[in-house]
Amino acid sequence: MRVGFDAHMVGQHETGNETYALGLLSGLDAAGFPVDAYAFTRTPAGIHRFHRTGPRQSYLRIPITNPLLAARDKLDLFHATYVIPPVMPCACVVTVHDITYALFPDWFAPRVRGMLQIMVPLALRHAARIVTISEHTKGDLITHYGIDPGKIAVSYLAPRPAFADRLASIRSEGPFLLYVGNVEPRKNVETVIRALAVLRDRKLEVPLKIVGKPGYHYEVTVRLVQSLRLSHLITFLGYVPDDRLRQLYASCTALVHPALYEGFGLTPLEAMVQGTPVIAAATSSVPEVVGNAAILVEPESIEAWIEALERLLGSAEERERLSRLGLERVKSFSWRRCAEQTIQAYREALR
């Protein structure tokens, strides 16, 4: 079986998509399953065969370049994320992380939303097999598109290789909460900020460090912090390198993960690797991922966040309990396991 994998997102800082591509390739390497990977730039190949692809314009690369590469390399199967060519000389597998573009269209720019609403359903219909990253996303595909459950495989993600091991030593930075993610409406960090304002008024001041690229809601969030007079407590760090983020995971008092919707929710797992307690929104796939190893709250309830924060910050025993549960929970996830589940989907696609 010769499999081609569309790795165009590698090196392009596409956050979740790039994480998935690099993690899956590392897992396939560990499983001894080489693929032909197509990317814009060379990356460490391991056992894989890397080829340059192009152009960068997806409207040319997807329908023209990808079929030509599949024919040239005599592929049996081609694996892409979200969108596959309308015509291919081989079978296709498509990975869909989530369908937020369909469930929450207001979160997307009109051009991006329109393209996904057309192209993803076509890919779901034409693919021989669909891979999702959570049972929740599988359920969304069944409910929204009427996909046959037997056509969908679930393959869980895992912490990125750079975050897979616990730090041996931690540089203390004082007590603080950590949020990791883009600053945009669906990430819901504003609810946590409002909860911190109430706690401040109750004489409990808790610093919050926000890590992530400024999304289109960034300026609104900054103005909220200023209007609530929290600038002395809340720091916007923007993008930070992996080694710095790993240190932040390890040294924070807790990770807050208030997202309204996640296809998977990798950030809580990466914090758990460091033994960090997690408070997360009880929504979409997050409960499926964290199990009983986090405090789960209603995402938009300020009072629920206040109660969870007071519970965690006021009890060393609770923090230790969550740390222990998190360290155990994260053992359930690995890129090799993800790869093995994906290989099984490949085999089923070619039956």
Side-chain angles (χ1 to χ4, degrees):
M1 181 192 337
R2 185 160 185 170
V3 175
F5 179 69
D6 184 352
H8 76 273
M9 65 286 288
V10 172
Q12 306 307 302
H13 304 294
E14 290 191 23
T15 57
N17 288 335
E18 184 174 15
T19 295
Y20 173 71
L22 290 173
L24 179 58
L25 288 170
S26 71
L28 291 169
D29 194 348
F33 189 93
V35 299
D36 292 87
Y38 303 96
F40 296 139
T41 57
R42 291 283 300 176
T43 63
I47 64 173
H48 304 305
R49 300 172 292 272
F50 268 84
H51 313 273
R52 289 191 184 275
T53 189
R56 292 180 181 270
Q57 295 91 339
S58 59
Y59 65 88
L60 294 174
R61 185 184 70 259
I62 292 172
I64 299 174
T65 305
N66 286 349
L68 291 173
L69 292 172
R72 182 197 70 184
D73 296 332
K74 297 181 173 57
L75 300 181
D76 299 303
L77 185 143
F78 185 79
H79 182 186
T81 304
Y82 284 105
V83 179
I84 59 177
V87 178
M88 283 289 281
C90 61
C92 289
V93 167
V94 65
T95 291
V96 176
H97 296 184
D98 60 64
I99 56 169
T100 48
Y101 64 87
L103 300 175
F104 305 97
D106 291 344
W107 294 350
F108 289 78
R111 184 182 65 82
V112 175
R113 180 178 66 236
M115 185 273 290
L116 291 172
Q117 287 176 336
I118 294 170
M119 300 305 296
V120 177
L122 287 173
L124 295 173
R125 188 158 57 248
H126 292 152
R129 195 74 170 161
I130 300 163
V131 175
T132 67
I133 58 175
S134 66
E135 291 288 345
H136 188 274
T137 297
K138 177 179 179 177
D140 283 344
L141 292 175
I142 294 168
T143 301
H144 196 79
Y145 291 115
I147 303 294
D148 176 2
K151 188 178 179 179
I152 307 171
V154 175
S155 178
Y156 287 126
L157 309 185
R160 290 171 286 173
F163 298 89
D165 299 314
R166 192 175 188 183
L167 285 173
S169 61
I170 302 172
R171 183 174 67 252
S172 176
E173 301 186 30
F176 69 95
L177 302 173
L178 180 66
Y179 164 82
V180 179
N182 294 343
V183 180
E184 56 189 40
R186 77 182 181 96
K187 295 298 187 179
N188 191 37
V189 71
E190 290 186 4
T191 299
V192 175
I193 291 170
R194 294 184 187 278
L196 293 180
V198 176
L199 289 176
R200 184 269 320 275
D201 294 340
R202 296 179 183 177
K203 310 303 181 185
L204 178 58
E205 292 198 330
V206 188
L208 170 66
K209 296 183 180 182
I210 296 176
V211 173
K213 295 187 300 183
Y216 71 90
H217 209 60
Y218 175 76
E219 292 182 0
V220 174
T221 306
V222 171
R223 287 197 297 270
L224 175 66
V225 170
Q226 294 168 344
S227 69
L228 293 174
R229 304 188 309 280
L230 290 173
S231 298
H232 66 296
L233 288 176
I234 297 178
T235 306
F236 292 86
L237 299 179
Y239 169 81
V240 302
D242 285 352
D243 57 348
R244 173 62 176 146
L245 179 54
R246 195 172 173 215
Q247 182 69 40
L248 288 167
Y249 276 138
S251 59
C252 68
T253 306
L255 175 88
V256 292
H257 190 75
L260 297 174
Y261 186 94
E262 293 280 13
F264 184 77
L266 193 55
T267 302
L269 283 186
E270 293 184 342
M272 288 177 181
V273 170
Q274 303 303 329
T276 297
V278 172
I279 306 175
T283 185
S284 58
S285 65
V286 176
E288 179 183 344
V289 172
V290 302
N292 68 343
I295 298 176
L296 293 169
V297 300
E298 289 300 316
E300 296 182 280
S301 170
I302 295 173
E303 282 302 318
W305 279 98
I306 292 169
E307 181 181 342
L309 288 166
E310 287 181 328
R311 170 182 161 189
L312 186 73
L313 296 170
S315 172
E317 290 79 9
E318 179 69 352
R319 295 194 297 274
E320 176 57 33
R321 182 184 75 85
L322 289 171
S323 174
R324 184 174 62 255
L325 289 172
L327 287 167
E328 190 62 30
R329 178 66 179 172
V330 80
K331 294 177 183 176
S332 302
F333 302 87
S334 76
W335 284 112
R336 173 147 186 178
R337 185 173 295 114
C338 175
E340 289 170 347
Q341 293 163 338
T342 304
I343 293 167
Q344 181 60 28
Y346 294 163
R347 294 190 175 114
E348 291 169 355
L350 291 176
R351 283 178 182 168

